[in-house]
Amino acid sequence: MSKTAAAPAPAGADPSRWKALVFIALAQLMVVLDATIVNIALPSAQTDLGISDGNRQWVITAYALAFGGLLLFGGRIADKWGRKNAFITGLAGFALASALGGAATGEAMMLGARALQGTFGALLAPAALSLLAVTFTDAKERAKAFGIYGAIAGGGGAVGLILGGFLTEYLNWRWTFFVNIPFAIVAAAGAWMVIREPAGSRNAARLDVPGVILSTLGLVSLVYGFTRAESAGWSDAITVSLFVASAVLLLAFVAVESKVKSPLLPLRVLLERNRGGVYLSLGLAVIAMFGLFLFLTYYLQVVKGFSPVKTGFAFLPMIAGMITGSTQIGARLMTRVAPRLLMGPGFLLAGAGMLLLTQLEVGSSYPALILPAQLLLGLGMGTAFMPAMSLATYGVNPADAGVASAMVNTSQQVGGAIGTALLNTIAASATTAYLTDHAAQAAAGGDAGKLIQAQAMVEGYSAAIWWAVGILVISATIAFTLINTGRPGSGGPVAGGAGAGSEDAELKVPVIAH
């Protein structure tokens, strides 16, 4: 049997680009894993370190604030200093912070380690995505590379639940931190040997210090506002003050960016309608996803009595769906159809999976309801994430690749914070309302009382998942409406950014006009 000749490499392509993808993907997996792996270990860590119930949320919040607040700064540092340098430094710092977290002897050391993890994560994540963007410029190769990256970005959180369950149950919570160290060492060593950043892709402009301060404080206020709303309520004075401060700071940031010579976030990156559509639709979709991870984890462990490891394995169909959707559907069709025809239907398919989960009951069957819902959700999200990740940096001037990549991560990080707070608040309100309506039965105690408690929890989850369905429909609508480019390399129209006749008028041109 004769072998089919391999396709020739694109002219000027880096011969080590596929090896580089392995190490970039490994680093991305580490960052995404860390977003969920610590959740499983938190109860054990809280007990060992004597962290109070009031302060335990800071184990999550300290990471989220540093990561979300510093992403734009991290992206611009990568553009200026070099993405390979930022990538390796981010990995080294993340490994050091993880070692401190695993060795923590008290609350202060743990919270400091988490904030340090978030800081280096904010340098690492945009450097990884922008390296991918400047390394893979051929449309077909880019589709394959971003298919793999999209599968990891989408499914890594669920993998974290499995790994977190194993480590917590069979070793101890400290290994949920120590496990990052070998990931970081292998990825950094590989990156040092094989990654070659394209010449002339750095941004030599002076750093926009006012933009750094305003964006960091604005994003920190926004993320903390949503995080605080979950525990203190939406009408709490400090919560409202944080949202007001965030709006003022971010509006001031936009005003500054429109006037300074070398902005931290050039508005051209945001105002091109396709990239703006990606950031908005992706951020909304992540709101729905993060809420679902939370509710399914509690449903399986508290209502169904699954162990942490069994709960992790219960998420495998979603991971399989994401990998299939990203690498087999998204990557194969990306060069044949317009991105909106993958993203819009993908979000709707994920919404159909969510719609199934609105039928959750205390006695629902995993094979009959939860498994098919997860498969639909995974297939839909994987199909949508892949072109979204690619389009978010496609057509960007190489000198802006880091900050454009940071915007992808920012939309996901802020979306995750909003999703956890918003949907959890909706679920809690619905649960309370159900218990109020069935107060007499709940007070009866015994098996009947426990059943009412479980039914109230499921009622809350179902109410919140209905909101998630609506959010995914909005994501799909945005994708269909704003994203109007043709398939990569086809020269499809891009109305918006620079207008007709400019270099930005066709996404087949790999740079946009200044």
Side-chain angles (χ1 to χ4, degrees):
M1 186 180 286
S2 62
K3 292 183 179 179
T4 303
D14 180 356
S16 300
R17 62 197 180 282
W18 292 108
K19 292 178 183 176
L21 174 63
V22 172
F23 300 113
I24 293 170
L26 188 63
Q28 174 65 12
L29 178 60
M30 181 188 72
V31 172
V32 177
L33 281 176
D34 199 73
T36 53
I37 196 171
V38 175
N39 290 349
I40 295 278
L42 183 54
S44 301
Q46 181 186 355
T47 302
D48 276 5
L49 300 178
I51 301 173
S52 68
D53 286 347
N55 286 341
R56 68 182 174 188
Q57 67 162 343
W58 281 100
V59 177
I60 306 300
T61 304
Y63 178 86
L65 290 180
F67 191 80
L70 293 170
L71 269 167
L72 288 178
F73 182 40
R76 188 49 97 195
I77 289 294
D79 286 334
K80 286 181 64 62
W81 186 33
R83 294 167 194 91
K84 179 176 177 178
N85 292 336
F87 184 74
I88 293 172
T89 302
L91 282 166
F94 202 92
L96 174 63
S98 298
L100 289 173
T105 55
E107 181 178 312
M109 188 173 174
M110 169 59 76
L111 298 184
R114 288 292 284 162
L116 201 60
Q117 274 187 314
T119 299
F120 283 104
L123 182 64
L124 174 60
L129 183 55
S130 57
L131 274 172
L132 213 59
V134 298
T135 300
F136 291 92
T137 53
D138 176 74
K140 288 187 178 180
E141 289 197 348
R142 186 182 178 90
K144 291 177 184 176
F146 275 90
I148 295 167
Y149 188 90
I152 290 170
V159 175
L161 295 172
I162 297 174
L163 191 56
F166 260 107
L167 294 172
T168 303
E169 196 162 321
Y170 296 116
L171 294 171
N172 65 49
W173 65 266
R174 295 182 185 277
W175 283 96
T176 60
F177 287 89
F178 291 147
V179 73
N180 290 328
I181 298 171
F183 275 97
I185 290 172
V186 172
W192 181 265
M193 290 186 287
V194 304
I195 290 179
R196 294 175 180 84
E197 196 170 349
S201 63
R202 293 190 188 183
N203 189 325
R206 181 179 296 179
L207 186 64
D208 171 22
V209 176
V212 169
I213 294 170
L214 288 170
S215 67
T216 301
L217 292 178
L219 288 171
V220 165
S221 295
L222 184 63
V223 173
Y224 186 35
F226 277 104
T227 304
R228 184 178 172 83
E230 187 180 357
S231 57
W234 296 92
S235 59
D236 173 70
I238 297 177
T239 302
V240 173
S241 298
L242 285 165
F243 285 132
V244 171
S246 173
V248 171
L249 288 163
L250 292 176
L251 284 172
F253 171 67
V254 171
V256 167
E257 298 308 276
S258 67
K259 297 185 183 304
V260 297
K261 185 178 179 182
S262 304
L264 173 70
L265 175 61
L267 295 185
R268 60 181 176 268
V269 172
L270 286 180
L271 296 180
E272 197 283 298
R273 66 182 291 167
N274 291 276
R275 283 191 292 276
V278 166
Y279 299 145
L280 190 54
S281 62
L282 199 59
L284 286 169
V286 170
I287 289 176
M289 279 292 293
F290 266 65
L292 182 73
F293 278 149
L294 183 72
F295 299 138
L296 266 189
T297 300
Y298 274 93
Y299 174 78
L300 293 171
Q301 288 196 34
V302 178
V303 178
K304 304 296 279 186
F306 283 23
S307 69
V309 171
K310 191 176 180 182
T311 300
F313 275 108
F315 279 98
L316 277 177
M318 190 187 300
I319 299 171
M322 283 182 174
I323 292 172
T324 303
S326 188
T327 61
Q328 301 305 309
I329 301 175
R332 289 177 184 271
L333 295 180
M334 174 97 182
T335 56
R336 300 177 187 177
V337 301
R340 68 180 178 277
L341 299 181
L342 290 173
M343 290 180 64
F347 288 136
L348 289 177
L349 186 61
M354 286 281 194
L355 192 61
L356 278 180
L357 289 173
T358 61
Q359 308 306 307
L360 268 183
E361 296 177 355
V362 172
S364 291
S365 164
Y366 178 87
L369 179 68
I370 299 172
L371 188 148
Q374 286 197 62
L375 284 173
L376 287 174
L377 189 65
L379 278 171
M381 284 297 195
T383 301
F385 269 38
M386 188 264 138
M389 290 290 182
S390 179
L391 193 59
T393 54
Y394 197 83
V396 174
N397 187 311
D400 293 332
V403 77
S405 302
M407 272 305 302
V408 180
N409 288 285
T410 299
S411 66
Q412 290 180 298
Q413 187 67 23
V414 173
I418 293 171
T420 303
L422 177 65
L423 297 183
N424 205 33
T425 303
I426 292 167
S429 298
T431 296
T432 302
Y434 188 92
L435 287 172
T436 302
D437 292 342
H438 298 79
Q441 294 162 281
D447 290 342
K450 289 179 181 178
L451 180 59
I452 291 295
Q453 292 282 350
Q455 287 172 338
M457 289 177 68
V458 175
E459 184 73 18
Y461 302 155
S462 179
I465 291 170
W466 270 111
W467 278 73
V469 172
I471 290 167
L472 284 170
V473 170
I474 294 171
S475 288
T477 304
I478 290 169
F480 279 125
T481 306
L482 287 184
I483 298 170
N484 70 339
T485 179
R487 59 185 176 83
S490 69
V494 180
S502 76
E503 284 188 346
D504 201 26
E506 293 187 356
L507 275 189
K508 67 181 180 180
V509 180
V511 295
I512 64 174
H514 283 275

